[in-house]
Amino acid sequence: MTQNTQKNRCFLELRNIHKRFGGVHALRGVDLSLEAGEVYHLLGENGCGKSTVIKIMAGAHPPSEGQIVLDGEVFNELTPIQSLDFGIETVYQDLSLIPNLSVMENVALGEQLVEGHGRLLRRIDGARMQQTATKALSQVDLDVTPELMSTIVSELPLATRQLVAIARAIACEARLVIMDEPTTSLTRREVENLIDVVSRLRSQNVAVLFVTHKLEECYRIGGHAIVFRDGQCVAQGPIESYSRADLAELMTGRQISEKRYREGSPSEDTLMSLSNFSMPGRFNDVGFDLRKGEVLGITGLSDSGRNELALAIAGIRPAASGTISINDKNIRIATASDSIDAGIAYVPEDRLSEGLFLSKSIYQNEVALILRKLAGFMGILDMKKGKEIAREISADMRLNTADIELPVSSLSGGNQQRVLIGRWLSINPEILVLHGPTVGVDVGSKDAIYQTIQKMAEDGMGLIIVSDDLPELLQNCDRILVMNAGEVVSDLNGASASEDDIYQAMLGSVQEGAA
Amino acid sequence: MSSAGTSNKPAPGHVSASGQLQQRRGLGDLIAKKPELVTLGLLIAICIAVAIANPAFLQPSTLIDIGRASVVTGLFALGVFVILAAGGIDVSFTAIAALTMYSITLLAINHAPNMPIYVVFLIAVAGGIALGVLNGFLVYTLRVPSLIVTIGTQYLFRGGLLAFVGTTWIMELPGQMGTFGRISLLEFETANGATVSLPVYFLILPAAAILTWWIMRRTLMGRAIFSLGGSPDVTARLGYNVKIVHLFVFGYAGALAGLAGIVHVTANRLANPFDLVGTEIAVIAAVVLGGARITGGTGSVIGTMLGVLLVVVVDNVLVMVGIPSTWQRVFVGAFILLAAAFFVTRQRKFKPAK
Amino acid sequence: MRFFDGHLTVLIGLIITLMTAGAIVSDGNYLSLFNLQSMAGQVPEIGLLAIGVLLAMCVGNGGIELSGIALANLSGVVAATIAVSFFSASQDPEIFSLIFIVVALATGFLGGLLNGLLIAYLKITAILCTLGTQMLFIGLAVAISDGRSVRVGAPGPLYEIGNGLLFEIPISFLLFIGVACIIGFVLRYTPFGMWLMLNGSNPKAAEYAGFPKNKVIISTYTVSGILSSLAGIIIAARTINVKWDYGTSYLLVAILIAVMAGVKPEGGYGRVICVVLSAITLQMMSSMLNFMGLSNFIRDFAWGALLLGFLAIGRFRLLDLINLQKHAISASVRSPHAQK
Amino acid sequence: QDTKSITTVVKISGIPWFDRMETGVTKFAEQNPEMDIRQVGPATADSAQQLQIVNDLVATGVDALAVVPMDPDILEGILGRAMDRGTIVVTHEADNQTNTHADIEAFDNSDYGAALNERLAQCMGEKGKWTTFVGSLGSRTHMQWVGAGEENAKKYPGMELVDPNNESFDDANGTYEKAKEILRKHPDIKGFQTSAGNDVLGVGRAIEEAGLAGKVCLVGTGLPNPSTAYLESGAITAIGFWDPQKAGMAMNAVAKLMLEGKEVTDGMDLGVEGYESVTVTPGAGKGLLIVGNGMVLVDKETYKDYLF
Ligand SMILES: Nc1ncnc2c1ncn2[C@@H]1O[C@H](COP(=O)(O)OP(=O)(O)OP(=O)(O)O)[C@@H](O)[C@H]1O
Ligand SMILES: Nc1ncnc2c1ncn2[C@@H]1O[C@H](COP(=O)(O)OP(=O)(O)OP(=O)(O)O)[C@@H](O)[C@H]1O
Ligand SMILES: [Mg+2]
Ligand SMILES: [Mg+2]
C-alpha cells in the first residue's frame, strides 16, 4: 500500500446507483469513478440529482439500489461515519453547520469523532481541537481570533459561515473533499481564495468534487466535468473540451445562448425615490431614484450594507432615518406590510427559510399575499378565484406541474424560486426587489427568470436586483449601484460597464485602506 | 503554509467577522451569552425583597430548608435540561420516578428487606434508565416530537403503576431505605431549641449536577446533545449516531428521575404511588427560567440550578412574606409571567439580527 | 388537502370499533339512547378545550395552551359571582342566563387576549406564558370565590344549554359541533385561517410576507380563550355550580386529544374535524371502560397505549394499505424541463 | 331483573382511606350476595373525572349510587338527573348536597372540629400560637372543621391563630415544606390543627425532624396505621377520624333500605358500628341527613385499638 500504487487509481466508485424519494426517482443508474488528486465538476440543472448523489457518497442517504466501492471494498450503503472514516469530507449545499455550537467546535470536533469511530462517550481534547481549528480556519483565510473561535455559528454572516463549512471539510486528513455549491454567497475575493484551497488540495493528492452553477469558476479551476441530466450521468470528460454552450446544452438538453437580456429602456418617470436613507453601522445616507420600467442592480461586498438596504426597503429591518417616496408621495415603511401596501415586493435571498411555506401547497404559497383581496362576503375566501390566480401564476412562471395542490417541498430548487417570485407578482407590485434571484438556480431556470424580469420591466415595473452575480447584473440591468462600507460609491451603466469596473468599485476603499 | 501567501492581501472576510464581534461586547452580550445571569439577578432580588418584608428569612435554617427542598426538583430539572438541550421535551419523568420508586420499595419490602441502600439506588437508576431508554427509542423510531411521545408514556407508566403494580401506600419503609432519609450531614440547634439538619441525600444533587456539567461540556456526547438540539438533520449527517444520542438523553433523564424517586421516598418516609406526577410542568418552567430555550440547543447546568432555586425559593417564602392562602396562586402566576417577560426582553434586546 | 386523510380514517374506524365492542360488552346498553346522550353531553367541555389547543399549536411559535381549563373555571366563577350578585336565577332566569353568558365570554375574551398579548408582544414562550396565566387564572378564581364553589343554580336557558335536548341530541353537543364547524370553516376559508396555518408552518416567511403576525397570534389565543369560556359556560350549566379546581386533569387530556387528532405541535397543521372525532373517541373509550367496571387506572394506561399506537400507525404508514392515493405524487415534478 | 345493584363512587381510588372504605363495601357485598355491589373511583383527584364516572354509571342503569363527592356542588346536576331516572342516590361527606335521597355523616362536623381543637388546646396548655391546614380552601368539610376549631379556641384568650388555612392539597411533602416554613416564621408556634388525611404526616415529619416532638402539638384528621410512627415519637399528639369502612357499609345499608322501599327513621339502627342510633333530619334538599356517632379521637395510648 505505497503512495505510488494508490496514486491515480480509482479509489471511489459508484455502480448503478438509484435513489427514489417516495414517487420521485431522483437518481436513475449513476456510474461514477473518482481518482485521487483530481478535480471533478458535477454539473446539471436544478433537481437533476447532484446533491442526492453527494449525500449518498457521504452516507447521509442510503441508495435505493446499486453499490458504492471504496478502495475495492463493496458497500450497499454507507453510514456517515464510515464515509468520514474513509476520508470523504463534504461541504453540503445547506452548509450543515451546527448553528448553536462555536466555530471551533464546528470545525474541529469531527476529527475526534471520526477518530473514535463515532463513539460518543469520550472526553474532548480541547487543546487539539484548538490546534486543528486554527489551522483549518487560516487555510480558508479567516482571521483566527479567540473571539471568532468561540462565536456561535448562527451569529456569523452567511459568507463567513460558508468559509467555516469549508474549513471543516479540510480540517481532517481527507481523501475526497466534496463541495456542493460552496460559492453561492461568497464574494469574488473569497472565491479566489477557495480556488487556491482547491489547487492546494489537489497538490496534496486529494480529490475534489465541486458542484456549482457558475461555469466560469469551473473553467478557472479546470479538471473533469461530469454532467447530470434527470438523474443520469450524460457526459464526462476534461472540462476544457466543452464550451459553455455545450455544457448548457448537455445539462438542459436544449440550446441556450449567452446574451444580454436587457433590451428595453426605462421611461422618464421617476417611480421611487430614496434619500438620506441611513441605518447607523449598516448603511449611510443612501439615495437613488428608480424609474418606471427600469432594472436597477445593487451590489457590493458581503459587509457593504447592500443586504440591510434591501431589508430596509422591504420593511423587515426598517431604516433609522431617511425618506422614501413612490410616485412623488412620501411613504413610511416600518413593517413588511407597509412596504407591500406601498406596492413594493421583496423576494428574499434565502427562499427556504425566509420565503416559502414548504409543507404547504403551491396554491397556498401563491395566494399568501392576496388573501385580503380574495376575501369576499363576510371575509370568506373565494377559493375558486384563488386557484385560478394560482394556476395563472404557475403558467406565467412556467412551473412544470399543473397540480397546484402539491406541497412546495416536492418541487426542485428552481421551481421553488419561481413559485416565490410568482407569489410576489400576484400583488401586481410597482416595484420588485429581487435579492439573489438566481442563487442556486440552474441555467435553464435562470433563463426563464431573466425573461420574466425583462417582461416585467417592459410592463412598467421598477426592478431592483440585489446580487453579487456580476454577469447576472450586467445581463439584466440598466444601471448598477455599487456599495461599499454602507455607501453607494458608484453608479454604473449596465450596458457599458464591465465586470472589472464593478469589481474595482466594490473593492475601492478597501484597497485604498490597505495601500 | 497558507498564511504566507494570503496574509498580506486585503481580506474582507476578516473585517466582517471580527468587526462584528467587537460591536457586541459589553453587558448586553454577556447576558445574551449567559442568560443565567438574569436568573441569578432575579433570585437575589427576590431574596432581598423577602428579607426586607420579613427579616426572619435571614437565618441559616432557611438556606438548609431550601437546599433540602431543591433536591428532587433539581434532579428532575437536570434531566429536563439535558433533554431540552437535545431539542426534546419530556413530561413523563415524574411518572418514571413514581413507577420506579414504588416498584422498588415494594420489591424491597417483599423480597429483600435488608437490601443495602446503594443497591436500592442502583436498581432505581437502572429502572429509570430502562424506562427512559424506552422513551428515547420511541421518540427516535416514531419520529414524532418527544412531547407527544412522553404524554403517551406518562399515561402508560402511571396507568400501569396504579393499575398493575399497586396503589396502597407503603408507610413502613424497608430497612436502610427508612434510615437513609434521616442521616444528616450537619445539624445544629436554633435559639428556640429546634434542630435544623441537612440530610445526607442533599449531596446527590450537587454530585449529579457536576456529572451533568462534565458530560455536557467535556465529552463528545455533550456536544452531540447540543448539536441535536441545534439541528438534528445536520447532526446525523456529520456522523453522530443520533439514535444513541436519543437513547442516552432520555436514558440519562430516566436515571435522574429514578434517583429522584428514591430520594423522594426516603425523605418522605413513605412510598405513595400517587406522588410526583403533576409537577412536571413546574420543573420545565424552572429549567426555562434558568435560561434554556424550550426550542432546544441552549442552556447550562448552572442556569438550571439557579432556575430550580428560584422556583423553590418563591414556593417557600409565600407564608414567610405573609401572603394569604387565597392569593398565593395569583402571586406565583404573576411572578412566572413577570420573570418570563423580564427574561425574554433582556434576551431579545441583545439577540443577534441573523 | 384531501378529506379522508389517515387520521380521519383511523378515528372513524376506531369509533365504529368502539361502538361494536361497547354494544357487545354491555348487551347493547352502551348504544342506548340515554348513554349516547350521556356521552355526547360529556364531550363538549373537553372538546372545546382541545380545539383551543389545536389553535395554539397550529399558529406556531411553539404554541401550546395550558391555561384553558383554568380560564374556563375563571369565566364561570366571575360570571356566576357577578350574575348572582345582581339577579336571581330563579326569578329572572332569562336575564340571569344572558348576563352569565355575556360575562363568561367577556372573561374568556380578556383571558385569551392577555395570553395573546404576552406571547405576541412580550414574546414569552407559549408554554411559560400559559403556565403563568394558568396560575394567575386559578389564583383569581380562588381569590374571587374564596376557594369555594359558586352556585349558579338552574336558570332555564342556561340549564337547557347544559342539559337540554334538541331532536334528542344534547344542546351542548350541538353547540360544540356548531362551534367546531365555525372554527373549521374559518381555518380553511378565511384569510385569518390561512395566515394562522401559514405562520405556523414558517414564521419567518410569514414575517417577510408582511402577514399581520401579531394580530394573528393575538386573535388565535383570544379565540382560544373564548372557547375556554364556552367550555366554562357548559360546565356551569351542566353542574349547576362552578369551582376553580374543576377538571384539573383536563390539561393533559386536551393535549392528548389534539395530538391524537394529528395536530402538529410544531405548527402549521391540524384539522378541527379530527379533534372532534378524537374527543369523541376518547370519551367512548373511557365510557366503555366504565361500563365494563374496569379501574380508571386502566383507562389511563389504555389512553397512553392508544396514543403511542396512533403514532406508530402514522410512522410506519400502516394506513397506506387503506389509503393508497396519498403518496401518488406524480413523477413529473422532478425537474423543470424533464419532459422536453 | 332481580339483582339490584349498588355502586359506591369514591373521590379517588387507591388511597388508604378509600381502600379501607372498599373493605366495608366488600363486607356488605358478602352479607348481601343477592345484590351486585361494587366500588369505583377516578384515577386523579379531579371532580370532573368523578362526574364522568357518575354519568356513565347512571347510563348503565345502576339501581343505587353511593357517592362520596369530591365536590358536592359539581355533582348536583347529574345526581338530579339520576334521581329523575329513578336511581337511588346516597351520599357521604356532603351535608349540603341537595340532590340526594340521603346524606350520611359519621358525626356532626362542627362537633368534630371543636373536639379536635379542644384536644389541641389541652396539649398546648390553652395558650400559644397555633395554625390550621386544610386540604384546599374549597373543601367544605375541612373549612367547617377549622371554622369550628377557631370558634372553640375563642374560649381560650391565650391562644393566637396565625397564618390560618394553609392549603396542603393532601400532599404530605408539600405540607412538610409549608410546616417547615411556618416553624421558621414563627419559632414560638405551639400547635397545628390539620384536616386532610396526609397533613398529619407532613407536619408530623417537620416537627419530628426539628426535634420538637412533644414540644409542639399536632392534632388533625388521620388514619392510625400511617400515623403510627409519629404517634409513637410524640410528633403527632392525637388524630381524629371516623372509620371509612363503617361509613361505606352505612351508605350501602341505607341504599339497600331505600331500594327495598323502607324508610329511615330517627334513632334507627343501621346495623353498622357507630350507626346504631342515627339522628335523621331533613337534609339540604328534599332528602334526609343521617348523622351517626362515629367520631374517634385517639392518641399514643389508644390508637392500637383501631389499627387500619
Ligand atoms: N428528501 C427528499 N425527499 C423527496 N424528494 C427529494 C428529497 N431530496 C431531493 N429530492 C428530489 O430529488 C430530486 C433531486 O434533488 P437534488 O437535491 O439532488 O437536486 P440538485 O441537483 O442538487 O438540485 P439543485 O441544483 O437545486 O441543488 C429533486 O426532484 C428533488 O425534489
Ligand atoms: N442587528 C445587527 N446586530 C448585530 N450585527 C448585525 C446586525 N445586522 C447585521 N449585523 C452584522 O453586520 C454585518 C454586515 O451584515 P450584512 O447582512 O450586510 O452582510 P451580508 O452582506 O448579508 O453577508 P452575506 O453575503 O453573507 O449575507 C454582518 O456581520 C452581520 O452579521
Ligand atoms: Mg443541490
Ligand atoms: Mg448576503
Side-chain angles (χ1 to χ4, degrees):
Chain A
M1 275 257 290
T2 63
Q3 282 293 76
N4 281 344
T5 50
Q6 280 267 305
K7 193 168 180 184
N8 285 339
R9 253 192 47 214
C10 131
F11 67 101
L12 185 148
E13 210 186 321
L14 298 184
R15 289 186 191 152
N16 191 32
I17 297 284
H18 285 261
K19 179 69 190 174
R20 294 181 192 84
F21 294 104
V24 179
H25 199 164
L27 295 178
R28 319 171 164 225
V30 172
D31 294 291
L32 266 187
S33 59
L34 304 184
E35 288 168 12
E38 261 298 341
V39 175
Y40 298 91
H41 300 277
L42 186 51
L43 304 171
E45 43 176 14
N46 293 127
C48 70
K50 303 179 297 293
S51 297
T52 308
V53 87
I54 285 171
K55 284 180 187 160
I56 283 173
M57 291 189 219
H61 281 327
S64 309
E65 223 178 280
Q67 280 131 13
I68 306 147
V69 186
L70 301 178
D71 275 343
E73 199 181 338
V74 181
F75 294 86
N76 285 326
E77 65 182 84
L78 292 176
T79 62
I81 205 79
Q82 277 173 327
S83 167
L84 288 163
D85 227 356
F86 179 75
I88 301 176
E89 291 288 340
T90 311
V91 182
Y92 290 93
Q93 189 166 6
D94 60 7
L95 302 185
S96 290
L97 294 168
I98 308 280
N100 56 331
L101 293 191
S102 70
V103 169
M104 175 168 73
E105 287 166 333
N106 263 290
V107 172
L109 264 184
E111 184 187 36
Q112 300 191 27
L113 179 73
V114 173
E115 212 174 64
H117 302 285
R119 268 186 47 230
L120 288 172
L121 283 173
R122 299 175 84 221
R123 236 184 77 96
I124 297 169
D125 182 344
R128 174 134 166 255
M129 184 159 73
Q130 173 109 22
Q131 210 178 348
T132 311
T134 311
K135 191 171 139 201
L137 288 169
S138 51
Q139 282 193 25
V140 294
D141 210 17
L142 274 168
D143 186 11
V144 187
T145 58
E147 280 105 300
L148 176 71
M149 294 281 256
S150 65
T151 305
I152 300 303
V153 162
S154 62
E155 293 177 12
L156 295 173
L158 193 57
T160 316
R161 268 187 269 169
Q162 196 143 43
L163 293 174
V164 170
I166 296 167
R168 178 182 61 203
I170 60 177
C172 297
E173 297 283 311
R175 296 173 66 186
L176 167 64
V177 174
I178 301 173
M179 303 191 188
D180 195 352
E181 305 195 28
T183 59
T184 39
S185 63
L186 295 189
T187 56
R188 278 178 70 128
R189 247 227 55 72
E190 289 155 346
V191 171
E192 292 301 319
N193 190 52
L194 181 64
I195 292 172
D196 281 353
V197 171
V198 170
S199 24
R200 203 159 49 230
L201 286 172
R202 192 202 311 223
S203 70
Q204 290 162 3
N205 202 28
V206 175
V208 178
L209 181 68
F210 205 77
V211 180
T212 180
H213 291 291
K214 300 180 183 169
L215 288 181
E216 77 271 24
E217 286 169 6
C218 305
Y219 287 113
R220 294 257 335 267
I221 297 171
H224 251 71
I226 301 170
V227 185
F228 268 38
R229 185 166 75 223
D230 202 10
Q232 280 169 317
C233 180
V234 291
Q236 279 195 53
I239 188 142
E240 304 81 40
S241 63
Y242 301 100
S243 72
R244 278 163 177 268
D246 290 343
L247 286 177
E249 195 178 336
L250 279 168
M251 283 191 263
T252 60
R254 296 173 296 138
Q255 278 182 315
I256 293 174
S257 57
E258 290 248 346
K259 58 172 189 215
R260 181 165 155 85
Y261 288 82
R262 185 70 185 144
E263 279 164 353
S265 55
S267 84
E268 292 301 313
D269 308 343
T270 302
L271 180 57
M272 177 176 84
S273 160
L274 219 65
S275 57
N276 305 322
F277 232 51
S278 298
M279 174 140 72
R282 302 281 168 264
F283 54 84
N284 192 13
D285 200 16
V286 173
F288 60 82
D289 285 351
L290 177 72
R291 285 178 289 168
K292 280 202 174 111
E294 184 177 37
V295 184
L296 179 71
I298 298 182
T299 188
L301 292 177
S302 57
D303 56 351
S304 61
R306 52 155 211 240
N307 295 350
E308 277 80 5
L309 179 63
L311 290 176
I313 295 173
I316 304 201
R317 266 190 252 160
S321 60
T323 55
I324 184 165
S325 67
I326 293 181
N327 293 328
D328 292 330
K329 226 175 70 201
N330 268 345
I331 55 164
R332 210 179 74 91
I333 294 185
T335 64
S337 65
D338 287 345
S339 144
I340 292 169
D341 291 346
I344 303 174
Y346 172 70
V347 180
E349 189 181 19
D350 183 348
R351 62 177 168 261
L352 292 185
S353 79
E354 293 163 352
L356 294 164
F357 305 103
L358 275 179
S359 59
K360 296 291 170 187
S361 66
I362 299 175
Y363 156 68
Q364 283 175 308
N365 271 280
E366 301 276 35
V367 300
L369 294 172
I370 50 170
L371 292 172
R372 273 206 189 92
K373 275 181 228 153
L374 284 176
F377 171 68
M378 286 191 32
I380 295 166
L381 285 176
D382 186 345
M383 300 276 268
K384 224 174 110 203
K385 192 163 141 214
K387 289 195 176 159
E388 224 164 78
I389 294 177
R391 254 183 227 112
E392 251 166 54
I393 295 174
S394 307
D396 277 359
M397 295 309 299
R398 296 197 235 155
L399 223 58
N400 75 329
T401 170
D403 187 354
I404 53 172
E405 298 287 347
L406 284 175
V408 167
S409 56
S410 68
L411 299 178
S412 74
N415 273 311
Q416 291 179 343
Q417 182 71 334
R418 291 186 224 180
V419 170
L420 188 57
I421 296 178
R423 172 200 298 168
W424 286 99
L425 294 185
S426 71
I427 60 169
N428 294 321
E430 289 191 85
I431 297 149
L432 178 65
V433 184
L434 295 159
H435 199 158
T438 58
V439 168
V441 166
D442 63 74
V443 218
S445 294
K446 254 186 193 168
D447 179 59
I449 290 171
Y450 292 158
Q451 285 182 18
T452 317
I453 289 176
Q454 295 312 323
K455 191 171 151 287
M456 292 183 287
E458 257 149 56
D459 294 348
M461 200 185 288
L463 288 107
I464 299 177
I465 302 178
V466 181
S467 172
D468 48 19
D469 184 342
L470 300 189
E472 168 170 296
L473 294 175
L474 290 169
Q475 281 169 18
N476 285 288
C477 299
D478 295 305
R479 279 191 305 149
I480 299 167
L481 302 181
V482 184
M483 290 184 66
N484 188 316
E487 304 197 4
V488 176
V489 288
S490 190
D491 184 347
L492 302 167
N493 184 313
S496 58
S498 71
E499 279 189 45
D500 213 44
D501 295 340
I502 304 179
Y503 196 51
Q504 289 300 330
M506 277 161 73
L507 289 177
S509 63
V510 178
Q511 278 182 336
E512 277 159 33
Chain B
M1 23 168 193
S2 68
S3 32
T6 52
S7 63
N8 38 16
K9 279 191 251 166
H14 297 184
V15 185
S16 77
S18 50
Q20 162 214 15
L21 289 168
Q22 264 142 26
Q23 278 171 9
R24 288 209 319 267
R25 270 200 222 133
L27 182 69
D29 189 29
L30 199 62
I31 288 176
K33 282 216 175 89
K34 299 218 172 297
E36 54 268 25
L37 288 180
V38 180
T39 322
L40 184 64
L42 274 171
L43 190 59
I44 293 173
I46 286 186
C47 289
I48 292 175
V50 175
I52 291 172
N54 186 350
F57 177 73
L58 296 173
Q59 45 180 297
S61 56
T62 309
L63 206 61
I64 287 186
D65 282 347
I66 283 171
R68 178 214 310 269
S70 311
V71 179
V72 172
T73 314
L75 288 174
F76 281 147
L78 287 171
V80 169
F81 154 62
V82 172
I83 290 179
L84 277 185
I89 195 164
D90 185 0
V91 294
S92 72
F93 55 90
T94 49
I96 291 182
L99 180 53
T100 49
M101 64 112 171
Y102 189 75
S103 316
I104 286 161
T105 316
L106 213 57
L107 178 85
I109 290 242
N110 292 338
H111 301 289
N114 293 318
M115 191 163 21
I117 189 74
Y118 66 88
V119 178
V120 171
F121 274 107
L122 279 182
I123 301 179
V125 168
I129 291 179
L131 297 174
V133 164
L134 175 66
N135 270 337
F137 175 77
L138 289 173
V139 171
Y140 178 77
T141 43
L142 299 179
R143 318 230 162 176
V144 274
S146 47
L147 171 67
I148 301 181
V149 170
T150 55
I151 287 180
T153 51
Q154 192 211 73
Y155 274 99
L156 204 67
F157 295 157
R158 183 173 193 262
L161 166 66
L162 297 171
F164 308 122
V165 182
T167 57
T168 38
W169 299 7
I170 302 170
M171 302 301 308
E172 278 299 316
L173 292 187
Q176 290 206 16
M177 282 178 77
T179 33
F180 179 74
R182 301 181 207 208
I183 308 173
S184 49
L185 197 59
L186 58 104
E187 215 166 43
F188 62 90
E189 205 150 295
T190 58
N192 67 326
T195 323
V196 181
S197 63
L198 187 64
V200 129
Y201 64 73
F202 171 76
L203 289 182
I204 293 176
L205 181 60
I210 291 170
L211 177 68
T212 311
W213 173 85
W214 187 80
I215 291 175
M216 295 304 275
R217 287 279 143 208
R218 289 282 180 267
T219 66
L220 273 173
M221 181 58 90
R223 300 294 88 194
I225 290 170
F226 276 114
S227 310
L228 192 65
S231 175
D233 293 347
V234 172
T235 308
R237 217 179 272 169
L238 295 186
Y240 294 95
N241 188 334
V242 174
K243 184 174 180 181
I244 296 290
V245 180
H246 271 96
L247 297 184
F248 178 84
V249 165
F250 283 92
Y252 187 72
L256 289 172
L259 208 55
I262 290 299
V263 170
H264 178 82
V265 172
T266 53
N268 253 350
R269 302 186 204 163
L270 81 143
N272 175 359
F274 291 87
D275 269 355
L276 298 172
V277 177
T279 58
E280 54 277 345
I281 304 277
V283 175
I284 295 171
V287 179
V288 174
L289 285 176
R293 286 201 207 123
I294 204 96
T295 44
T298 58
S300 66
V301 169
I302 190 86
T304 304
M305 290 295 99
L306 288 169
V308 169
L309 277 183
L310 194 62
V311 169
V312 171
V313 166
V314 169
D315 251 7
N316 276 276
V317 298
L318 296 170
V319 178
M320 195 56 104
V321 180
I323 296 168
S325 302
T326 348
W327 286 96
Q328 285 181 3
R329 289 191 199 74
V330 178
F331 182 83
V332 174
F335 168 76
I336 291 183
L337 291 177
L338 284 178
F342 183 66
F343 215 93
V344 175
T345 38
R346 295 302 292 173
Q347 241 176 3
R348 188 163 39 129
K349 235 176 237 165
F350 304 102
K351 216 166 87 180
K354 277 205 169 181
Chain C
M1 214 196 323
R2 282 164 184 91
F3 185 75
F4 277 101
D5 67 358
H7 276 277
L8 193 69
T9 321
V10 173
L11 286 166
I12 292 176
L14 255 176
I15 290 178
I16 293 171
T17 317
L18 282 169
M19 286 199 163
T20 326
I24 293 170
V25 301
S26 71
D27 287 336
N29 208 350
Y30 187 73
L31 294 185
S32 69
L33 184 60
F34 187 88
N35 187 46
L36 291 179
Q37 286 169 345
S38 150
M39 290 196 293
Q42 295 179 57
V43 171
E45 49 195 57
I46 184 68
L48 287 168
L49 295 175
I51 296 180
V53 172
L54 168 136
L55 291 175
M57 279 185 174
C58 283
V59 79
N61 273 18
I64 194 154
E65 164 70 301
L66 301 175
S67 67
I69 182 65
L71 185 54
N73 290 332
L74 178 65
S75 307
V77 167
V78 172
T81 312
I82 291 182
V84 167
S85 57
F86 291 108
F87 303 96
S88 149
S90 48
Q91 273 158 22
D92 322 288
E94 282 81 23
I95 184 104
F96 182 94
S97 303
L98 185 71
I99 294 295
F100 183 92
I101 291 170
V102 169
V103 175
L105 289 177
T107 312
F109 173 85
L110 290 177
L113 186 66
L114 176 67
N115 274 334
L117 290 172
L118 290 173
I119 291 168
Y121 286 117
L122 291 187
K123 308 255 184 290
I124 303 180
T125 329
I127 191 168
L128 258 192
C129 170
T130 54
L131 181 75
T133 50
Q134 179 209 28
M135 288 273 197
L136 193 71
F137 296 154
I138 293 179
L140 286 173
V142 171
I144 292 171
S145 64
D146 247 351
R148 281 189 274 275
S149 63
V150 184
R151 189 167 172 78
V152 179
L158 191 61
Y159 186 83
E160 283 299 307
I161 291 180
N163 306 286
L165 299 174
L166 190 68
F167 311 120
E168 294 298 315
I169 303 171
I171 292 178
S172 59
F173 188 73
L174 290 176
L175 191 71
F176 167 54
I177 296 297
V179 169
C181 287
I182 294 173
I183 302 275
F185 185 87
V186 166
L187 284 184
R188 196 127 189 229
Y189 295 106
T190 65
F192 168 73
M194 202 97 121
W195 280 327
L196 191 158
M197 289 295 182
L198 291 178
N199 183 61
S201 84
N202 185 351
K204 198 159 181 194
E207 185 189 336
Y208 276 65
F211 286 6
K213 213 175 143 173
N214 285 345
K215 275 188 207 151
V216 171
I217 291 179
I218 294 170
S219 319
T220 306
Y221 282 90
T222 309
V223 172
S224 179
I226 294 175
L227 291 176
S228 297
S229 63
L230 260 180
I233 293 171
I234 291 178
I235 292 169
R238 221 154 74 81
T239 63
I240 320 188
N241 287 282
V242 285
K243 191 160 172 242
W244 60 272
D245 68 349
Y246 179 87
T248 39
S249 58
Y250 282 3
L251 186 73
L252 276 192
V253 179
I255 300 176
L256 180 71
I257 290 176
V259 165
M260 256 181 53
V263 178
K264 278 201 192 135
E266 66 270 25
Y269 177 80
R271 295 182 69 187
V272 178
I273 182 169
C274 288
V275 169
V276 171
L277 292 180
S278 150
I280 292 177
T281 309
L282 279 196
Q283 177 59 50
M284 292 184 60
M285 205 167 113
S286 80
S287 286
M288 193 175 86
L289 294 175
N290 280 340
F291 262 67
M292 295 163 66
L294 287 178
S295 110
N296 265 254
F297 304 124
I298 297 207
R299 185 198 63 175
D300 282 9
F301 185 80
W303 278 0
L306 187 69
L307 174 61
L308 294 175
F310 251 87
L311 299 179
I313 288 171
R315 166 72 181 104
F316 299 110
R317 303 241 170 118
L318 302 179
L319 293 171
D320 287 8
L321 306 172
I322 314 166
N323 218 23
L324 283 169
Q325 45 170 357
K326 203 176 139 198
H327 298 284
I329 295 173
S330 73
S332 67
V333 214
R334 234 173 316 106
S335 112
H337 305 287
Q339 297 100 322
K340 292 176 195 162
Chain D
Q1 213 183 325
D2 280 322
T3 46
K4 294 278 183 188
S5 53
I6 308 176
T7 303
T8 305
V9 186
V10 299
K11 293 185 189 179
I12 326 164
S13 35
I15 68 168
W17 186 272
F18 292 111
D19 284 348
R20 173 75 180 168
M21 183 171 282
E22 196 161 12
T23 63
V25 174
T26 318
K27 221 165 159 182
F28 192 82
E30 279 161 12
Q31 293 165 6
N32 298 280
E34 78 285 1
M35 299 180 84
D36 175 13
I37 290 167
R38 314 188 269 135
Q39 174 175 319
V40 296
T44 37
D46 175 8
S47 45
Q49 299 288 337
Q50 198 187 27
L51 175 63
Q52 270 211 17
I53 291 179
V54 176
N55 249 308
D56 290 336
L57 284 173
V58 174
T60 59
V62 68
D63 297 301
L65 279 169
V67 190
V68 190
M70 193 58 211
D71 194 331
D73 293 330
I74 298 297
L75 294 184
E76 290 292 9
I78 181 65
L79 292 184
R81 254 167 289 142
M83 288 165 75
D84 291 346
R85 259 200 127 201
T87 313
I88 298 293
V89 176
V90 176
T91 52
H92 173 53
E93 281 190 73
D95 58 5
N96 60 329
Q97 191 88 55
T98 46
N99 288 321
T100 180
H101 290 108
D103 179 67
I104 296 153
E105 297 296 311
F107 43 64
D108 181 81
N109 282 314
S110 325
D111 293 352
Y112 178 71
L116 289 183
N117 190 260
E118 191 54 37
R119 184 72 183 77
L120 182 70
Q122 238 180 56
C123 171
M124 288 167 63
E126 298 175 7
K127 61 174 191 293
K129 285 187 182 171
W130 67 292
T131 188
T132 55
F133 275 76
V134 292
S136 83
L137 292 169
S139 166
R140 189 181 138 83
T141 42
H142 295 182
M143 296 301 282
Q144 277 176 330
W145 298 340
V146 297
E150 252 175 80
E151 204 51 45
N152 185 67
K154 288 197 182 133
K155 290 197 294 204
Y156 308 110
M159 284 175 69
E160 182 196 350
L161 180 61
V162 292
D163 288 321
N165 300 350
N166 295 287
E167 288 183 283
S168 70
F169 305 107
D170 206 12
D171 162 24
N173 199 39
T175 315
Y176 165 78
E177 307 285 353
K178 271 256 154 70
K180 283 241 131 184
E181 194 183 341
I182 289 172
L183 285 171
R184 251 186 292 125
K185 186 174 178 189
H186 305 286
D188 50 346
I189 194 148
K190 279 279 165 288
F192 288 84
Q193 177 179 340
T194 66
S195 310
N198 291 332
D199 296 1
V200 279
L201 306 180
V203 180
R205 182 178 148 215
I207 291 176
E208 187 178 299
E209 271 182 15
L212 295 172
K215 294 178 201 156
V216 173
C217 303
L218 163 60
V219 178
T221 307
L223 285 183
N225 235 346
S227 316
T228 307
Y230 296 113
L231 280 165
E232 283 297 333
S233 75
I236 298 179
T237 313
I239 51 171
F241 57 93
W242 67 101
D243 188 346
Q245 182 187 50
K246 306 295 177 307
M249 291 176 73
M251 276 199 289
N252 277 276
V254 171
K256 189 182 167 211
L257 286 173
M258 293 189 154
L259 278 175
E260 290 164 352
K262 296 188 184 139
E263 257 189 51
V264 184
T265 51
D266 200 35
M268 192 171 177
D269 178 0
L270 296 181
V272 180
E273 194 189 326
Y275 302 82
E276 289 100 344
S277 167
V278 293
T279 7
V280 178
T281 49
K286 292 196 196 85
L288 307 171
L289 178 62
I290 304 174
V291 181
N293 169 31
M295 187 198 313
V296 186
L297 199 60
V298 297
D299 54 21
K300 194 173 177 174
E301 267 64 57
T302 52
Y303 78 91
K304 291 202 182 77
D305 303 338
Y306 298 88
L307 270 187
F308 60 82

